[in-house]
Amino acid sequence: MRQRVVITGMGCVSGLGKGVEANWTALRDGAGAIRPIAREGMEGIASWIAADDSATSRLSSTDLRPLGKLDPLSLHALEAASEAVAQSGLSGHRVLHDRTAILMGCGSGGNATIDTAYQRLYGQGQAKVHPQTIPASMIAAPAAQIAMMLKVHGPTFTLSSACASSAHALGEAMHMIRSGRVDVAIAGGAEACLSQGSWTAWRSLGVLAPDACRPFSVDRKGMVLGEGAAVLVLESEAHAAARGATVIAELAGYGASSDAAHMTAPAVTGIAAAIRAAHEDARLDIDEPALISAHGTGTQLNDPAEAAAMRAVYDTALDRHRVIATKSAHGHMIGAAGAVEFLLGVRSLVEGIAPPILNHLGTPPDCALPLVLSRQAIDHEVLVSNSFAFGGLNAVLIGRKP
């Protein structure tokens, strides 16, 4: 029998607030974090973390000093990891030393640090940049910084698959525990792409909405960028039981696929393949009622492709499920999106409440789904969380109530 993998700690920071409780309360109550961006060189809307709500106010100087120069990418990750490990009760536990892995998903590195370096180099004509530019901006920095903060000596690395990065990280962490390589995994994702250079590149791509994120809605005009992090503590059920840990939920399944078709246009067949693979891994029938946390970016291409894939997989059983789309509240957090959405979906299961999709103006025929448009009480036992990325890189996670 394979080992069951359970969740014993969760941490989150986003434009919705600091901590899981603040994020969940805002989401449940329909309070969105999308608003005008207030940063130099950026004009439009985003879901951003205010300067006075940054991790530096919650992680002590004693915690941060040994870690050197920190990009916001690492600060977000450290804050989420600190909350998750504290909730799990593993702070200082010997399992962190040799039987714990860290897997973080990030879509890009430390954009703010890179921007500052290039402004000095090209804009100001300076011959040198800060000597810690590379360690602070590298995509592996969040995982390494978490390991140093917690004194974790087990396998530690970063997965980067664009918007599916942290979903892949959680799924692969689950398999590491199932295989017996580790007893505990600290896994999730972080993103801090709201810098002038990154913002300009996203705008040039033509996918950013001018007003709001409207998943599966008429008059949807694109995605809205967000920033933050989500981290979960995963354990084998046996390890959690042996130390008397409180189990939040189970990470029961994971499916992944590649469209192998186009860099930015999703393929229905690839998305459907990942959903089916997750159900098979979780040994979950497609007609068992589930809360589905959709990728739901609000773009013209993604939403109908995801809807078509769900119809292809669930067929006549689709109406047994309920579909939420939390990017309408916290924006698209790129590499952190999968972990944030899975975490909030787990909280929805535990609370028995499905949060509303915001900004919805009506459902077009190609996005017909059992959407949650106002807060609903639910009694679902299962969560299906979808993450689909540029490059046709797909990951789907399945959670269960304990």
Side-chain angles (χ1 to χ4, degrees):
M1 292 180 63
R2 67 186 187 187
Q3 298 193 70
R4 292 177 71 234
V5 177
V6 297
I7 303 163
T8 58
M10 302 195 301
C12 184
V13 57
S14 78
L16 290 171
K18 62 175 183 178
V20 173
E21 193 62 35
N23 275 266
W24 164 248
T25 300
L27 182 71
R28 178 199 64 197
D29 294 345
I34 294 170
R35 59 202 190 279
I37 184 74
R39 295 184 184 176
E40 185 178 356
M42 288 171 270
E43 182 178 347
I45 57 168
S47 176
W48 46 278
I49 298 170
D52 61 357
D53 199 30
S54 68
T56 53
S57 65
R58 288 175 296 283
L59 295 172
S60 71
S61 59
T62 303
D63 294 326
L64 297 174
R65 191 177 298 113
L67 304 182
K69 178 177 169 58
L70 294 170
D71 187 89
L73 177 71
S74 290
L75 286 170
H76 299 333
L78 288 166
E79 179 172 13
S82 296
E83 181 186 14
V85 172
Q87 183 185 27
S88 74
L90 283 173
S91 300
H93 196 288
R94 64 184 183 185
V95 75
L96 296 177
H97 184 77
D98 57 358
R99 293 287 298 171
T100 295
I102 298 174
L103 283 73
M104 289 295 290
C106 302
S108 59
N111 287 283
T113 298
I114 293 170
D115 261 24
T116 299
Y118 286 174
Q119 286 168 4
R120 290 178 179 175
L121 185 64
Y122 302 126
Q124 301 170 16
Q126 295 185 15
K128 295 181 179 180
V129 298
H130 194 288
Q132 288 294 304
T133 296
I134 294 298
S137 66
M138 67 185 190
I139 200 167
Q145 299 286 11
I146 292 170
M148 288 188 283
M149 180 180 70
L150 298 174
K151 307 304 180 187
V152 172
H153 294 270
T156 297
F157 54 95
T158 299
L159 292 87
S160 187
S161 50
C163 310
S165 298
S166 55
H168 278 126
L170 286 165
E172 296 301 329
M174 179 195 74
H175 280 302
M176 290 184 74
I177 295 172
R178 278 186 185 172
S179 70
R181 288 182 63 190
V182 294
D183 295 320
V184 174
I186 298 165
E191 202 71 66
C193 60
L194 296 180
S195 67
Q196 185 176 357
S198 175
W199 178 267
T200 302
W202 278 104
R203 289 201 68 171
S204 298
L205 192 58
V207 296
L208 298 187
D211 54 355
C213 178
R214 305 184 191 280
F216 308 110
S217 174
V218 296
D219 201 33
R220 63 186 186 278
K221 296 177 181 176
M223 56 182 269
V224 175
L225 288 174
E227 63 182 347
V231 173
L232 290 81
V233 175
L234 309 177
E235 299 185 54
S236 69
E237 183 180 40
H239 187 270
R243 67 183 191 88
T246 299
V247 172
I248 300 169
E250 177 189 0
L251 176 50
Y254 162 55
S257 70
S258 169
D259 295 350
H262 196 277
M263 281 302 295
T264 57
V268 172
T269 54
I271 294 172
I275 297 172
R276 290 190 182 100
H279 276 265
E280 291 170 5
D281 186 55
R283 299 167 183 171
L284 175 68
D285 291 337
I286 62 168
D287 59 354
E288 181 172 341
L291 177 68
I292 301 175
S293 180
H295 187 58
T297 60
T299 59
Q300 288 296 324
L301 291 178
N302 179 90
D303 289 6
E306 184 174 12
M310 283 194 262
R311 287 194 295 269
V313 171
Y314 298 114
D315 196 21
T316 57
L318 183 59
D319 286 340
R320 298 187 182 187
H321 309 306
R322 290 294 175 268
V323 177
I324 61 174
T326 64
K327 286 184 180 72
S328 62
H330 56 63
H332 196 336
M333 295 166 66
I334 313 300
V340 169
E341 290 159 23
F342 181 75
L343 182 155
L344 292 171
V346 165
R347 189 61 187 268
S348 298
L349 284 188
V350 171
E351 299 292 341
I353 298 172
I357 299 173
L358 304 183
N359 313 312
H360 201 267
L361 300 177
T363 307
D366 61 358
C367 292
L369 294 168
L371 302 172
V372 176
L373 301 180
S374 60
R375 189 170 78 185
Q376 293 182 16
I378 57 172
D379 58 3
H380 296 74
E381 299 288 323
V382 174
L383 167 72
V384 178
S385 187
N386 295 338
S387 296
F388 312 124
F390 279 174
L393 312 177
N394 309 307
V396 177
L397 300 170
I398 291 181
R400 278 191 180 276
K401 290 176 71 173

PDB file of all heavy atoms in Angstrom, residues 280-295:
ATOM      1  N   GLU A 280      -6.898   9.426 -11.913  1.00  0.00           N
ATOM      2  CA  GLU A 280      -6.368   8.061 -11.850  1.00  0.00           C
ATOM      3  C   GLU A 280      -5.396   7.910 -10.692  1.00  0.00           C
ATOM      4  O   GLU A 280      -5.429   6.906  -9.960  1.00  0.00           O
ATOM      5  CB  GLU A 280      -5.687   7.706 -13.173  1.00  0.00           C
ATOM      6  CG  GLU A 280      -6.664   7.558 -14.343  1.00  0.00           C
ATOM      7  CD  GLU A 280      -5.950   7.443 -15.683  1.00  0.00           C
ATOM      8  OE1 GLU A 280      -4.699   7.381 -15.683  1.00  0.00           O
ATOM      9  OE2 GLU A 280      -6.640   7.425 -16.717  1.00  0.00           O
ATOM     10  N   ASP A 281      -4.528   8.919 -10.498  1.00  0.00           N
ATOM     11  CA  ASP A 281      -3.557   8.848  -9.409  1.00  0.00           C
ATOM     12  C   ASP A 281      -4.250   8.849  -8.055  1.00  0.00           C
ATOM     13  O   ASP A 281      -3.823   8.159  -7.123  1.00  0.00           O
ATOM     14  CB  ASP A 281      -2.589  10.023  -9.513  1.00  0.00           C
ATOM     15  CG  ASP A 281      -1.465   9.932  -8.503  1.00  0.00           C
ATOM     16  OD1 ASP A 281      -0.768   8.903  -8.482  1.00  0.00           O
ATOM     17  OD2 ASP A 281      -1.284  10.883  -7.717  1.00  0.00           O
ATOM     18  N   ALA A 282      -5.327   9.625  -7.940  1.00  0.00           N
ATOM     19  CA  ALA A 282      -6.069   9.700  -6.675  1.00  0.00           C
ATOM     20  C   ALA A 282      -7.063   8.560  -6.508  1.00  0.00           C
ATOM     21  O   ALA A 282      -7.710   8.445  -5.467  1.00  0.00           O
ATOM     22  CB  ALA A 282      -6.805  11.034  -6.589  1.00  0.00           C
ATOM     23  N   ARG A 283      -7.210   7.732  -7.570  1.00  0.00           N
ATOM     24  CA  ARG A 283      -8.204   6.654  -7.569  1.00  0.00           C
ATOM     25  C   ARG A 283      -9.591   7.231  -7.289  1.00  0.00           C
ATOM     26  O   ARG A 283     -10.357   6.728  -6.459  1.00  0.00           O
ATOM     27  CB  ARG A 283      -7.823   5.589  -6.549  1.00  0.00           C
ATOM     28  CG  ARG A 283      -6.474   4.932  -6.863  1.00  0.00           C
ATOM     29  CD  ARG A 283      -5.928   4.104  -5.726  1.00  0.00           C
ATOM     30  NE  ARG A 283      -4.617   3.565  -6.058  1.00  0.00           N
ATOM     31  CZ  ARG A 283      -3.810   2.933  -5.197  1.00  0.00           C
ATOM     32  NH1 ARG A 283      -4.208   2.769  -3.941  1.00  0.00           N
ATOM     33  NH2 ARG A 283      -2.638   2.483  -5.574  1.00  0.00           N
ATOM     34  N   LEU A 284      -9.879   8.292  -8.032  1.00  0.00           N
ATOM     35  CA  LEU A 284     -11.104   9.064  -7.843  1.00  0.00           C
ATOM     36  C   LEU A 284     -11.969   8.968  -9.094  1.00  0.00           C
ATOM     37  O   LEU A 284     -11.528   9.305 -10.189  1.00  0.00           O
ATOM     38  CB  LEU A 284     -10.745  10.527  -7.571  1.00  0.00           C
ATOM     39  CG  LEU A 284     -11.899  11.522  -7.455  1.00  0.00           C
ATOM     40  CD1 LEU A 284     -12.709  11.260  -6.199  1.00  0.00           C
ATOM     41  CD2 LEU A 284     -11.342  12.958  -7.448  1.00  0.00           C
ATOM     42  N   ASP A 285     -13.200   8.532  -8.939  1.00  0.00           N
ATOM     43  CA  ASP A 285     -14.133   8.479 -10.059  1.00  0.00           C
ATOM     44  C   ASP A 285     -14.483   9.898 -10.508  1.00  0.00           C
ATOM     45  O   ASP A 285     -14.636  10.806  -9.674  1.00  0.00           O
ATOM     46  CB  ASP A 285     -15.416   7.746  -9.659  1.00  0.00           C
ATOM     47  CG  ASP A 285     -15.189   6.259  -9.425  1.00  0.00           C
ATOM     48  OD1 ASP A 285     -14.209   5.722  -9.974  1.00  0.00           O
ATOM     49  OD2 ASP A 285     -15.992   5.662  -8.687  1.00  0.00           O
ATOM     50  N   ILE A 286     -14.659  10.063 -11.805  1.00  0.00           N
ATOM     51  CA  ILE A 286     -14.937  11.402 -12.314  1.00  0.00           C
ATOM     52  C   ILE A 286     -16.318  11.902 -11.918  1.00  0.00           C
ATOM     53  O   ILE A 286     -16.592  13.100 -11.989  1.00  0.00           O
ATOM     54  CB  ILE A 286     -14.787  11.461 -13.851  1.00  0.00           C
ATOM     55  CG1 ILE A 286     -15.794  10.510 -14.534  1.00  0.00           C
ATOM     56  CG2 ILE A 286     -13.370  11.172 -14.277  1.00  0.00           C
ATOM     57  CD1 ILE A 286     -15.899  10.730 -16.020  1.00  0.00           C
ATOM     58  N   ASP A 287     -17.207  10.990 -11.514  1.00  0.00           N
ATOM     59  CA  ASP A 287     -18.543  11.437 -11.136  1.00  0.00           C
ATOM     60  C   ASP A 287     -18.693  11.692  -9.641  1.00  0.00           C
ATOM     61  O   ASP A 287     -19.778  12.042  -9.174  1.00  0.00           O
ATOM     62  CB  ASP A 287     -19.599  10.443 -11.619  1.00  0.00           C
ATOM     63  CG  ASP A 287     -19.403   9.047 -11.049  1.00  0.00           C
ATOM     64  OD1 ASP A 287     -18.376   8.820 -10.365  1.00  0.00           O
ATOM     65  OD2 ASP A 287     -20.266   8.182 -11.292  1.00  0.00           O
ATOM     66  N   GLU A 288     -17.599  11.544  -8.848  1.00  0.00           N
ATOM     67  CA  GLU A 288     -17.676  11.904  -7.433  1.00  0.00           C
ATOM     68  C   GLU A 288     -17.692  13.420  -7.334  1.00  0.00           C
ATOM     69  O   GLU A 288     -16.782  14.090  -7.845  1.00  0.00           O
ATOM     70  CB  GLU A 288     -16.502  11.337  -6.646  1.00  0.00           C
ATOM     71  CG  GLU A 288     -16.580  11.677  -5.163  1.00  0.00           C
ATOM     72  CD  GLU A 288     -15.527  10.970  -4.316  1.00  0.00           C
ATOM     73  OE1 GLU A 288     -14.962   9.966  -4.779  1.00  0.00           O
ATOM     74  OE2 GLU A 288     -15.276  11.443  -3.196  1.00  0.00           O
ATOM     75  N   PRO A 289     -18.691  14.012  -6.699  1.00  0.00           N
ATOM     76  CA  PRO A 289     -18.799  15.471  -6.657  1.00  0.00           C
ATOM     77  C   PRO A 289     -17.535  16.126  -6.116  1.00  0.00           C
ATOM     78  O   PRO A 289     -16.995  15.711  -5.085  1.00  0.00           O
ATOM     79  CB  PRO A 289     -19.988  15.703  -5.725  1.00  0.00           C
ATOM     80  CG  PRO A 289     -20.808  14.453  -5.842  1.00  0.00           C
ATOM     81  CD  PRO A 289     -19.817  13.348  -6.008  1.00  0.00           C
ATOM     82  N   ALA A 290     -17.071  17.139  -6.817  1.00  0.00           N
ATOM     83  CA  ALA A 290     -15.837  17.806  -6.434  1.00  0.00           C
ATOM     84  C   ALA A 290     -15.983  19.315  -6.539  1.00  0.00           C
ATOM     85  O   ALA A 290     -16.771  19.832  -7.344  1.00  0.00           O
ATOM     86  CB  ALA A 290     -14.687  17.335  -7.327  1.00  0.00           C
ATOM     87  N   LEU A 291     -15.220  20.010  -5.727  1.00  0.00           N
ATOM     88  CA  LEU A 291     -15.026  21.442  -5.885  1.00  0.00           C
ATOM     89  C   LEU A 291     -13.840  21.597  -6.831  1.00  0.00           C
ATOM     90  O   LEU A 291     -12.737  21.121  -6.536  1.00  0.00           O
ATOM     91  CB  LEU A 291     -14.731  22.101  -4.541  1.00  0.00           C
ATOM     92  CG  LEU A 291     -14.443  23.607  -4.593  1.00  0.00           C
ATOM     93  CD1 LEU A 291     -15.698  24.382  -4.985  1.00  0.00           C
ATOM     94  CD2 LEU A 291     -13.897  24.110  -3.263  1.00  0.00           C
ATOM     95  N   ILE A 292     -14.043  22.233  -7.966  1.00  0.00           N
ATOM     96  CA  ILE A 292     -12.986  22.401  -8.957  1.00  0.00           C
ATOM     97  C   ILE A 292     -12.475  23.835  -8.897  1.00  0.00           C
ATOM     98  O   ILE A 292     -13.227  24.783  -9.135  1.00  0.00           O
ATOM     99  CB  ILE A 292     -13.489  22.083 -10.379  1.00  0.00           C
ATOM    100  CG1 ILE A 292     -13.996  20.640 -10.448  1.00  0.00           C
ATOM    101  CG2 ILE A 292     -12.373  22.317 -11.400  1.00  0.00           C
ATOM    102  CD1 ILE A 292     -14.629  20.276 -11.790  1.00  0.00           C
ATOM    103  N   SER A 293     -11.195  23.987  -8.551  1.00  0.00           N
ATOM    104  CA  SER A 293     -10.559  25.299  -8.580  1.00  0.00           C
ATOM    105  C   SER A 293      -9.934  25.458  -9.962  1.00  0.00           C
ATOM    106  O   SER A 293      -8.906  24.860 -10.270  1.00  0.00           O
ATOM    107  CB  SER A 293      -9.487  25.412  -7.492  1.00  0.00           C
ATOM    108  OG  SER A 293      -8.876  26.692  -7.522  1.00  0.00           O
ATOM    109  N   ALA A 294     -10.593  26.232 -10.804  1.00  0.00           N
ATOM    110  CA  ALA A 294     -10.171  26.362 -12.196  1.00  0.00           C
ATOM    111  C   ALA A 294      -8.935  27.244 -12.326  1.00  0.00           C
ATOM    112  O   ALA A 294      -8.675  28.126 -11.501  1.00  0.00           O
ATOM    113  CB  ALA A 294     -11.310  26.955 -13.026  1.00  0.00           C
ATOM    114  N   HIS A 295      -8.187  27.016 -13.396  1.00  0.00           N
ATOM    115  CA  HIS A 295      -7.066  27.902 -13.719  1.00  0.00           C
ATOM    116  C   HIS A 295      -7.604  29.294 -14.018  1.00  0.00           C
ATOM    117  O   HIS A 295      -7.030  30.287 -13.579  1.00  0.00           O
ATOM    118  CB  HIS A 295      -6.286  27.326 -14.908  1.00  0.00           C
ATOM    119  CG  HIS A 295      -5.029  28.055 -15.217  1.00  0.00           C
ATOM    120  ND1 HIS A 295      -4.015  28.215 -14.300  1.00  0.00           N
ATOM    121  CD2 HIS A 295      -4.607  28.674 -16.354  1.00  0.00           C
ATOM    122  CE1 HIS A 295      -3.021  28.896 -14.847  1.00  0.00           C
ATOM    123  NE2 HIS A 295      -3.366  29.194 -16.103  1.00  0.00           N
TER     124      HIS A 295
END
